[in-house]
Amino acid sequence: MYNFRTDLALERNDIYKKQNNITNQIEGIEVQNESKENIEIARVKIINEQGEKALGKPIGNYITLDIKNMKFVDDEKIKQISTVLSDELRRVIAEHITDTEDILVVGLGNIYVTPDALGPKVVPEIEVTRHILEYMPKAMPEDTRPVSAISPGVLGITGIETMEILKGIVDNIKPKMLIVIDALASRSIERISSSIQIADTGIVPGAGVENTRKEISKKTLGIPVIALGIPTVVDLASITNDCIDLFIEDLQQKAMSNEYLNKLKEQDNYTQIKEALIPKDYNMIVTPKEIDELIENMSQIVAKGINMAL
Amino acid sequence: MYNFRTDLALERNDIYKKQNNITNQIEGIEVQNESKENIEIARVKIINEQGEKALGKPIGNYITLDIKNMKFVDDEKIKQISTVLSDELRRVIAEHITDTEDILVVGLGNIYVTPDALGPKVVPEIEVTRHILEYMPKAMPEDTRPVSAISPGVLGITGIETMEILKGIVDNIKPKMLIVIDALASRSIERISSSIQIADTGIVPGAGVENTRKEISKKTLGIPVIALGIPTVVDLASITNDCIDLFIEDLQQKAMSNEYLNKLKEQDNYTQIKEALIPKDYNMIVTPKEIDELIENMSQIVAKGINMAL
Amino acid sequence: MYNFRTDLALERNDIYKKQNNITNQIEGIEVQNESKENIEIARVKIINEQGEKALGKPIGNYITLDIKNMKFVDDEKIKQISTVLSDELRRVIAEHITDTEDILVVGLGNIYVTPDALGPKVVPEIEVTRHILEYMPKAMPEDTRPVSAISPGVLGITGIETMEILKGIVDNIKPKMLIVIDALASRSIERISSSIQIADTGIVPGAGVENTRKEISKKTLGIPVIALGIPTVVDLASITNDCIDLFIEDLQQKAMSNEYLNKLKEQDNYTQIKEALIPKDYNMIVTPKEIDELIENMSQIVAKGINMAL
Amino acid sequence: MYNFRTDLALERNDIYKKQNNITNQIEGIEVQNESKENIEIARVKIINEQGEKALGKPIGNYITLDIKNMKFVDDEKIKQISTVLSDELRRVIAEHITDTEDILVVGLGNIYVTPDALGPKVVPEIEVTRHILEYMPKAMPEDTRPVSAISPGVLGITGIETMEILKGIVDNIKPKMLIVIDALASRSIERISSSIQIADTGIVPGAGVENTRKEISKKTLGIPVIALGIPTVVDLASITNDCIDLFIEDLQQKAMSNEYLNKLKEQDNYTQIKEALIPKDYNMIVTPKEIDELIENMSQIVAKGINMAL
């Protein structure tokens, strides 16, 4: 299997096609594109095992919203993006549960680590209704959906697998669906804090910035899990590897079609570069200097988008 | 029952004695005092139903540490206080479980509301071991106690009763004891961020700064619950009520033993003052201007104290 | 002179009238009221020395905006309030300088003390233009006003009087006007984070939450100083004093017109209560539990209001 | 001149020596090494114009402290490092002013951008004495040094060059020395938040994370300026450039001494890579995931180090 080094199905699709010289769609995968309010929407559907194997992701829907010029959004633009996001989200939710069924929103990540703080920052902005419906049912319209929200923390701080915490809560309060928010890793710098992926196949937390953990999905929890992920970092070794590739291509064009270089390019220099360049014990990430502000904007968009959809 | 308007058993004990003109100990209650490193330690033991009724608190141990000049502590002093705290804590824990049994530390409260942020600020400082013992057992001594830690959030943000969240987690990961950290309300301004109460009878979260919630205790969770509470606010109406009392005493001394004034003093002006003085929809608290810094110091003391004890 | 214990000219006006049984306007003071978008606007004008003496504030304009239900504002409402604020501000500025003259916005207060953090939170939201006009003049319309902004910190942290810091900067970069933002103390709990006072007479920093400092005004700096202040705290001793007054009135009504009580009421119990009730070394404030969030909302309103006005 | 892409004189010295195949010391530069408490101290002294040209830095002293395992420091270790830092600092200060002369500590950088927040985080920890000496001179020993501290903010937020702000303040309050704290860029990932450079030649703010600004030095302010800088980021393009160099070396060793490759290595691929790899409008930085915590530790060390030295 490829080491895609990205959590975005869309990027995996593009990398796989390029590396296998596929010009049409990959077998087992359907992609649909749309443009709305200056946002590019790509809907990647993995339809069978062949598609699963190609992208290394389970059968299901992966919708990516690419937002242009995220750095310069104002209140007006944030509202527009939230509206597009909420439309997509509403559609995905409706495929799995009804309008009045109970949803638990989960903000994964570590509030004390800026590029990992997206989930915990969204949670306090979610309009929770579950407790009002329980204690003052008459204060709300009869068909209000019970919504609750939690930030379970990360393994390094809690000492407990996030999946175990959620399993306990899900077993006890019995929501019908989880919406899980997490920071992702992308391959492209341009997608940092500028893309949103909605997947109906759950998530493996910490894929973006930490070691992978136990899967949070229908398989492990028994209810559908919508994952809403946003790339906040690119792995340094991925970037330097891409950089070597670009460099070799450049060499080949300028110099000659060198057999030795061809061979070099085929092999994955990732591990080798990582060892040569990046000190052990360090978890180096590439991120825009403005990440604090970008995360702030993104958490607003995600919170508004979810609130409108629920 | 009295409306004590304090969560500290020690203050309740003093108020009850004063109001009932008791000079010795209250029936059903034993109090023991000690002084260590400039810290006053009071051990209040409620031993039977009579004691329960007097103080409105369940049978059990309530240890209060009163720290002098908390405003001016330095690193050295913080270490001293933590050591005294850890000694007390270790003794209470040892009465309920063995040295190697699993403990879950719970930080109650809302990280976004300064006087309620103590619990969430302590959690990331706890040295958790449970995941290391699970994934890399050889990295730690054999008799290491599994420790985990969580900040479940508050009802207003999660939409879920804290007790329900904890019940789910306790049922799933099965710790043998809970240590719960929370902000309390005291009656005396001088105890704000200067006293620590350790109780082995659990807690009703939010008693300090919100409406009361479902009890977190052995009764509801099935395992012993040690509550570690620190006063961070005094209710405004309590203070103004105390102020009227002082004023009436003053009038009586200066003027005459006035029957009308006597009657006034007996009645509780709390509700009346609250209505006259404090606008509805507001939850006014009295707090030192330096509360942000005091909470910072206290969370260090509590985290160090717990780490040393476990 | 009265100890008003409020920085709001409007409250001083009301207290003075009440205590002197004045039903019309005070000599030397003109008050004008208006209501706009559910905001009460009061324009207090101190026109001569007699007015100065009555209110203990210098000759000039004091505009107060009282906002209802500040606790429940949404994005829409924040925009409305900002617009009203910017209209008032624009008018006051236009009385002193032209549309293209240089303004320096100053955020007073301590970012690490929640009720004092308003000023430092507004500064990064101000749209500064001075450096762009200097380095890339063609990037902006010709008649753009140069705007700069600074948070000088507080005496306890810097060791330097704020006035001295500002004097140095004003002498060196020569703005034509200062707009100074600060937290104030009010007398009424209902005005906390719900009123905005615009004064064209400068400010004495720290009046709200600390000892008073050197005046920041045309007199000390040589240029007009607009002060934009928002009450964030009420002094505890003020509240308890009000509480005694209410209590005495109540006694008088219910019991008898008692000469002794009359005398008591005339005297100011402030110092006495402060000594009896409030421990030394403590700076107790009364504030809503939700102050963190209220300050967040207010800093948005102020920043938007200033940006629109400039 | 070389584009060193590092603010550390020590790194420049090493790069210059390597690129010019110098095995001894560079003409005009003296380097002295020492090891203390597991900290490597390198004292680089630029003694003449030749040295200036080689390293692109003015004549003066540049002391670098390299701390090992900064990620795992505890309270004890922080104290040790602070002590070593304060010794070095004290010696440098003593070369320029006496023990009782007035010092202003300046924290450069943007508190809202994590890798740039070091300076603003140190300032509130500095023990300022200037105001106490002014208002309560008897409260302190007679020979106490007046110390003040300020965070002037960054050009993008204030609209004013930091140098202009400082010039105004220095002219007005007349300190005898400035100690300026800033985040730097290094070339090596291992130095991020692990090295401290003390230079007695002033600083050009924002060199680490922004466009360069007006110099803060004796030349511009008229008093000695000690700069205390800590690398918090590495520029992404620097790293990818280093990565290409390593790759070429590797090619040469494995394949052949290729003339074309030799030429490639001599040329600086920095600009080319930057254009190919990094989107415009983005300011990509490479930083450890744990940067928030590392900055916290470093600001403690620096504050303690300065407090001990003053």
Side-chain angles (χ1 to χ4, degrees):
Chain A
M1 206 195 82
Y2 288 97
N3 177 358
F4 287 105
R5 291 189 292 281
T6 170
D7 299 318
L8 297 179
L10 181 61
E11 283 193 335
R12 292 190 176 194
N13 187 67
D14 295 346
I15 294 169
Y16 188 92
K17 279 172 70 178
K18 200 177 157 202
Q19 296 200 323
N20 293 280
N21 293 313
I22 298 173
T23 46
N24 296 322
Q25 299 207 343
I26 303 166
E27 287 284 324
I29 291 172
E30 287 170 15
V31 183
Q32 206 191 43
N33 293 293
E34 191 183 340
S35 184
K36 237 201 244 181
E37 308 266 11
N38 215 15
I39 298 167
E40 300 298 319
I41 306 173
R43 298 191 181 84
V44 175
K45 197 180 192 108
I46 301 183
I47 50 180
N48 60 27
E49 247 182 69
Q50 211 172 341
E52 277 195 341
K53 266 187 202 154
L55 302 202
K57 292 232 167 217
I59 291 174
N61 295 291
Y62 302 85
I63 302 159
T64 306
L65 281 59
D66 281 329
I67 303 151
K68 301 291 162 216
N69 287 328
M70 193 51 212
K71 265 184 84 169
F72 306 103
V73 299
D74 54 13
D75 286 7
E76 195 55 39
K77 187 76 195 151
I78 283 178
K79 214 171 145 186
Q80 261 180 33
I81 305 170
S82 313
T83 309
V84 175
L85 171 60
S86 88
D87 289 346
E88 295 297 322
L89 201 52
R90 202 178 297 117
R91 203 172 307 144
V92 177
I93 295 168
E95 283 182 30
H96 298 275
I97 60 170
T98 71
D99 267 16
T100 57
E101 284 184 301
D102 202 325
I103 289 183
L104 171 60
V105 177
V106 178
L108 298 182
N110 185 344
I111 196 169
Y112 302 102
V113 172
T114 309
D116 200 26
L118 181 79
K121 274 175 183 282
V122 169
V123 161
E125 305 299 325
I126 297 299
E127 288 161 9
V128 293
T129 55
R130 188 178 173 276
H131 58 314
I132 306 175
L133 291 167
E134 190 158 330
Y135 294 110
M136 302 180 292
K138 283 177 186 166
M140 306 208 89
E142 230 177 76
D143 58 347
T144 305
R145 182 201 294 280
V147 176
S148 50
I150 196 163
S151 266
V154 293
L155 179 65
I157 281 178
T158 62
I160 317 172
E161 279 278 356
T162 304
M163 205 278 291
E164 287 180 277
I165 296 177
L166 293 180
K167 181 137 194 57
I169 299 172
V170 166
D171 286 356
N172 201 43
I173 73 163
K174 301 198 190 311
K176 291 288 175 287
M177 172 183 274
L178 243 58
I179 297 179
V180 172
I181 301 143
D182 200 9
L184 305 179
S186 66
R187 190 70 181 261
S188 151
I189 287 179
E190 275 165 316
R191 280 206 163 88
I192 290 184
S193 257
S194 295
S195 293
I196 305 174
Q197 174 177 272
I198 305 169
D200 60 1
T201 58
I203 200 164
V204 178
V209 283
E210 280 185 78
N211 297 328
T212 56
R213 311 253 56 94
K214 282 188 193 160
E215 185 180 315
I216 296 168
S217 68
K218 188 161 187 178
K219 209 162 65 189
T220 55
L221 293 177
I223 54 171
V225 177
I226 308 286
L228 204 156
I230 291 176
T232 60
V233 295
V234 179
D235 176 39
L236 175 57
S238 285
I239 289 203
T240 46
N241 190 55
D242 287 358
C243 146
I244 301 283
D245 282 358
L246 282 171
F247 181 71
I248 295 173
E249 275 176 42
D250 201 45
L251 274 187
Q252 288 173 317
Q253 279 172 14
K254 282 191 194 145
M256 69 233 96
S257 177
N258 184 323
E259 205 182 319
Y260 181 69
L261 289 173
N262 270 330
K263 235 172 63 198
L264 270 175
K265 189 154 177 232
E266 264 156 42
Q267 81 186 52
D268 192 357
N269 302 289
Y270 183 81
T271 319
Q272 190 189 344
I273 292 166
K274 192 156 181 169
E275 275 166 20
L277 211 73
I278 303 171
K280 273 191 206 15
D281 286 335
Y282 276 76
N283 211 335
M284 302 307 297
I285 53 172
V286 176
T287 194
K289 186 165 82 73
E290 302 81 359
I291 186 71
D292 303 68
E293 202 188 330
L294 289 169
I295 294 272
E296 219 49 71
N297 285 344
M298 260 302 169
S299 60
Q300 268 192 60
I301 288 174
V302 170
K304 278 182 216 281
I306 293 178
N307 287 335
M308 279 191 261
L310 305 185
Chain B
M1 205 194 83
Y2 289 98
N3 178 358
F4 287 105
R5 291 188 293 283
T6 170
D7 299 318
L8 297 179
L10 180 61
E11 283 193 334
R12 292 191 176 194
N13 186 69
D14 295 346
I15 295 169
Y16 188 92
K17 280 172 68 178
K18 199 177 159 202
Q19 296 199 326
N20 293 281
N21 293 313
I22 299 172
T23 45
N24 295 322
Q25 298 207 343
I26 304 166
E27 288 282 325
I29 291 172
E30 286 170 15
V31 183
Q32 206 192 44
N33 293 294
E34 190 184 341
S35 186
K36 237 201 244 180
E37 308 267 11
N38 215 14
I39 298 167
E40 301 297 319
I41 304 175
R43 298 191 180 84
V44 176
K45 197 180 192 107
I46 303 184
I47 50 179
N48 60 26
E49 247 182 69
Q50 212 171 340
E52 276 195 340
K53 265 187 202 154
L55 303 201
K57 292 235 168 216
I59 291 173
N61 295 292
Y62 302 84
I63 302 159
T64 306
L65 280 60
D66 282 328
I67 303 153
K68 301 292 162 217
N69 286 327
M70 190 52 211
K71 264 183 86 168
F72 306 104
V73 299
D74 54 13
D75 286 6
E76 195 54 39
K77 188 78 194 148
I78 283 178
K79 213 172 145 186
Q80 260 179 33
I81 306 169
S82 313
T83 309
V84 175
L85 171 60
S86 87
D87 289 346
E88 294 298 322
L89 201 53
R90 201 176 297 118
R91 202 173 308 143
V92 178
I93 295 169
E95 283 181 29
H96 297 277
I97 61 171
T98 72
D99 268 16
T100 57
E101 285 184 300
D102 202 326
I103 289 183
L104 171 59
V105 177
V106 179
L108 298 182
N110 186 345
I111 196 168
Y112 303 103
V113 171
T114 308
D116 200 25
L118 181 78
K121 273 175 184 282
V122 169
V123 162
E125 304 300 325
I126 298 298
E127 286 161 10
V128 294
T129 56
R130 187 179 174 276
H131 58 313
I132 305 175
L133 291 168
E134 190 158 330
Y135 294 110
M136 302 181 292
K138 285 177 186 165
M140 307 206 88
E142 230 177 75
D143 57 347
T144 306
R145 184 201 290 283
V147 175
S148 50
I150 196 163
S151 264
V154 294
L155 180 65
I157 280 178
T158 62
I160 318 172
E161 279 279 356
T162 303
M163 204 277 291
E164 287 180 276
I165 296 177
L166 293 179
K167 181 139 194 53
I169 298 171
V170 166
D171 286 357
N172 201 43
I173 73 163
K174 302 198 188 313
K176 291 288 174 286
M177 173 182 273
L178 244 56
I179 297 179
V180 172
I181 300 143
D182 200 9
L184 305 178
S186 66
R187 190 69 179 262
S188 151
I189 287 179
E190 274 166 316
R191 280 206 164 88
I192 290 185
S193 257
S194 295
S195 294
I196 305 174
Q197 175 176 271
I198 304 169
D200 60 1
T201 57
I203 201 165
V204 178
V209 284
E210 280 185 79
N211 297 326
T212 55
R213 312 254 54 96
K214 283 188 192 159
E215 186 180 315
I216 295 168
S217 68
K218 188 163 188 177
K219 208 163 65 192
T220 56
L221 292 177
I223 53 171
V225 177
I226 308 285
L228 205 156
I230 291 176
T232 59
V233 296
V234 179
D235 177 40
L236 175 56
S238 284
I239 288 203
T240 47
N241 189 55
D242 288 357
C243 147
I244 301 283
D245 283 359
L246 282 172
F247 182 71
I248 294 172
E249 275 175 41
D250 200 46
L251 273 186
Q252 288 174 319
Q253 279 172 13
K254 283 191 192 141
M256 67 232 98
S257 176
N258 185 320
E259 205 183 320
Y260 180 70
L261 289 173
N262 269 330
K263 237 174 59 199
L264 269 175
K265 192 160 171 224
E266 266 156 40
Q267 81 187 50
D268 191 357
N269 301 289
Y270 182 82
T271 319
Q272 191 187 342
I273 292 166
K274 191 157 182 167
E275 275 166 20
L277 209 76
I278 302 172
K280 272 188 204 19
D281 286 336
Y282 276 77
N283 211 336
M284 300 308 296
I285 54 173
V286 176
T287 195
K289 186 167 83 72
E290 302 81 359
I291 185 71
D292 303 68
E293 201 188 330
L294 289 169
I295 295 272
E296 217 52 68
N297 284 344
M298 260 302 171
S299 58
Q300 267 191 61
I301 288 174
V302 171
K304 278 182 216 281
I306 293 177
N307 287 335
M308 279 190 262
L310 306 185
Chain C
M1 205 195 82
Y2 287 98
N3 178 357
F4 287 105
R5 291 188 293 281
T6 170
D7 299 317
L8 296 179
L10 181 61
E11 283 193 335
R12 291 190 176 195
N13 187 68
D14 295 346
I15 293 169
Y16 189 91
K17 280 172 68 177
K18 201 179 158 199
Q19 297 199 326
N20 293 282
N21 293 312
I22 299 172
T23 46
N24 295 322
Q25 297 206 346
I26 304 167
E27 287 283 324
I29 290 171
E30 286 170 15
V31 183
Q32 206 193 45
N33 293 294
E34 191 183 340
S35 184
K36 237 202 243 180
E37 307 267 12
N38 215 15
I39 299 168
E40 300 299 319
I41 305 175
R43 298 192 181 84
V44 176
K45 196 181 193 106
I46 302 184
I47 50 180
N48 59 27
E49 246 182 70
Q50 213 172 340
E52 275 195 342
K53 265 186 203 153
L55 302 202
K57 291 234 168 215
I59 292 175
N61 294 292
Y62 302 85
I63 302 159
T64 305
L65 279 60
D66 281 329
I67 303 152
K68 302 289 161 219
N69 286 328
M70 192 51 212
K71 264 183 84 168
F72 306 104
V73 299
D74 54 13
D75 286 6
E76 195 54 39
K77 188 78 194 146
I78 282 178
K79 213 171 145 186
Q80 261 180 33
I81 305 169
S82 314
T83 309
V84 175
L85 171 60
S86 87
D87 289 346
E88 294 297 323
L89 201 53
R90 203 178 295 117
R91 203 173 308 145
V92 177
I93 294 168
E95 283 181 29
H96 297 276
I97 60 170
T98 71
D99 267 17
T100 56
E101 285 185 301
D102 202 325
I103 289 183
L104 171 60
V105 177
V106 179
L108 299 181
N110 186 344
I111 196 168
Y112 302 103
V113 171
T114 308
D116 199 25
L118 181 78
K121 274 176 184 281
V122 169
V123 161
E125 304 299 325
I126 298 298
E127 287 161 12
V128 294
T129 56
R130 186 178 174 278
H131 58 315
I132 306 176
L133 291 168
E134 190 159 330
Y135 293 110
M136 302 181 293
K138 285 179 183 162
M140 306 206 89
E142 232 177 75
D143 57 347
T144 305
R145 182 200 292 283
V147 176
S148 50
I150 196 163
S151 264
V154 294
L155 180 65
I157 281 178
T158 63
I160 318 172
E161 279 279 355
T162 304
M163 206 277 291
E164 288 181 275
I165 296 177
L166 294 179
K167 180 137 194 55
I169 298 172
V170 166
D171 286 355
N172 201 43
I173 74 163
K174 302 198 189 312
K176 292 288 174 287
M177 172 182 272
L178 244 57
I179 297 179
V180 171
I181 301 143
D182 201 9
L184 306 177
S186 66
R187 191 69 181 261
S188 151
I189 287 178
E190 273 165 318
R191 282 206 162 87
I192 290 184
S193 258
S194 295
S195 293
I196 305 173
Q197 175 176 271
I198 304 169
D200 59 2
T201 58
I203 201 165
V204 178
V209 283
E210 279 186 80
N211 297 327
T212 56
R213 312 253 55 95
K214 283 188 192 158
E215 187 180 314
I216 295 168
S217 68
K218 188 164 187 175
K219 209 163 62 191
T220 55
L221 291 178
I223 53 170
V225 176
I226 308 285
L228 204 156
I230 291 177
T232 59
V233 295
V234 178
D235 177 41
L236 175 56
S238 284
I239 289 202
T240 46
N241 189 56
D242 288 357
C243 146
I244 301 283
D245 282 358
L246 282 172
F247 181 71
I248 294 173
E249 274 175 43
D250 201 47
L251 274 186
Q252 288 174 319
Q253 278 173 14
K254 283 191 192 141
M256 66 234 95
S257 176
N258 184 321
E259 205 182 318
Y260 181 71
L261 288 175
N262 269 330
K263 235 175 58 199
L264 268 175
K265 196 166 169 219
E266 266 156 40
Q267 80 187 52
D268 192 356
N269 302 289
Y270 182 83
T271 319
Q272 189 188 343
I273 292 166
K274 191 157 181 168
E275 274 164 22
L277 208 75
I278 304 172
K280 273 191 204 18
D281 286 336
Y282 276 77
N283 210 335
M284 301 307 297
I285 53 173
V286 177
T287 194
K289 187 165 80 75
E290 301 81 359
I291 185 71
D292 303 68
E293 201 188 332
L294 288 169
I295 294 272
E296 220 47 71
N297 285 343
M298 260 302 170
S299 58
Q300 267 191 60
I301 288 174
V302 171
K304 278 182 216 281
I306 292 178
N307 287 335
M308 279 191 262
L310 306 185
Chain D
M1 205 193 85
Y2 288 97
N3 177 357
F4 287 106
R5 293 188 291 282
T6 170
D7 299 318
L8 297 178
L10 181 62
E11 283 193 334
R12 291 190 177 196
N13 187 67
D14 295 346
I15 294 169
Y16 189 90
K17 279 172 69 179
K18 199 178 159 203
Q19 296 199 326
N20 293 280
N21 293 313
I22 299 173
T23 45
N24 296 322
Q25 297 206 346
I26 304 167
E27 287 283 325
I29 291 172
E30 287 170 15
V31 183
Q32 207 191 44
N33 293 294
E34 192 184 338
S35 185
K36 237 202 241 179
E37 308 268 10
N38 216 15
I39 299 168
E40 301 298 320
I41 305 174
R43 297 191 181 85
V44 176
K45 195 180 194 106
I46 302 184
I47 50 178
N48 59 26
E49 245 182 71
Q50 211 171 340
E52 275 196 342
K53 263 186 204 155
L55 302 202
K57 292 233 167 215
I59 291 174
N61 294 293
Y62 302 85
I63 301 158
T64 305
L65 281 60
D66 281 328
I67 303 151
K68 302 292 162 217
N69 287 328
M70 193 49 214
K71 266 184 83 170
F72 306 104
V73 299
D74 54 13
D75 287 6
E76 195 55 40
K77 186 78 194 149
I78 283 178
K79 213 172 145 185
Q80 261 180 32
I81 306 170
S82 313
T83 309
V84 175
L85 172 60
S86 88
D87 289 345
E88 295 297 322
L89 202 51
R90 202 178 296 117
R91 202 173 309 145
V92 178
I93 295 170
E95 283 181 29
H96 297 276
I97 61 170
T98 71
D99 266 18
T100 58
E101 286 185 299
D102 202 325
I103 289 184
L104 171 60
V105 178
V106 178
L108 299 181
N110 186 344
I111 197 169
Y112 303 103
V113 171
T114 309
D116 200 25
L118 180 79
K121 273 175 184 282
V122 169
V123 162
E125 304 300 326
I126 298 298
E127 287 162 10
V128 293
T129 56
R130 187 178 174 275
H131 58 313
I132 306 175
L133 291 168
E134 190 159 330
Y135 293 111
M136 301 181 293
K138 285 177 184 164
M140 305 206 90
E142 231 178 74
D143 58 348
T144 306
R145 183 201 291 282
V147 176
S148 50
I150 196 163
S151 264
V154 293
L155 179 66
I157 280 178
T158 63
I160 317 173
E161 279 278 356
T162 303
M163 205 277 292
E164 288 180 276
I165 296 177
L166 294 180
K167 179 137 196 56
I169 298 172
V170 166
D171 286 355
N172 201 43
I173 73 162
K174 302 198 190 309
K176 291 288 174 286
M177 173 182 272
L178 243 57
I179 297 178
V180 171
I181 300 143
D182 200 10
L184 306 177
S186 65
R187 190 70 180 260
S188 150
I189 287 178
E190 273 165 316
R191 282 206 163 88
I192 291 184
S193 258
S194 294
S195 293
I196 307 174
Q197 175 177 271
I198 304 168
D200 59 2
T201 57
I203 201 166
V204 177
V209 283
E210 279 185 80
N211 297 327
T212 56
R213 312 254 55 92
K214 283 190 193 158
E215 185 180 313
I216 296 168
S217 68
K218 189 163 187 177
K219 208 163 65 190
T220 56
L221 293 176
I223 53 171
V225 177
I226 308 287
L228 205 157
I230 290 177
T232 60
V233 296
V234 178
D235 177 40
L236 175 56
S238 284
I239 290 202
T240 46
N241 189 55
D242 288 358
C243 145
I244 300 284
D245 282 358
L246 283 171
F247 181 71
I248 294 172
E249 275 175 42
D250 201 47
L251 274 185
Q252 289 174 317
Q253 280 171 13
K254 283 190 192 143
M256 69 233 95
S257 176
N258 185 321
E259 204 183 321
Y260 181 71
L261 289 174
N262 268 331
K263 235 173 61 198
L264 268 176
K265 200 173 164 212
E266 265 156 41
Q267 81 186 51
D268 191 356
N269 302 287
Y270 182 81
T271 320
Q272 189 188 345
I273 291 165
K274 190 155 183 169
E275 275 165 21
L277 210 74
I278 304 171
K280 273 188 202 20
D281 287 335
Y282 276 77
N283 210 336
M284 301 308 296
I285 53 174
V286 177
T287 194
K289 186 166 83 74
E290 302 82 358
I291 185 70
D292 303 68
E293 202 188 329
L294 288 170
I295 294 273
E296 219 49 72
N297 285 344
M298 261 299 171
S299 58
Q300 267 191 61
I301 288 174
V302 172
K304 278 182 215 282
I306 293 178
N307 288 335
M308 279 190 261
L310 307 183

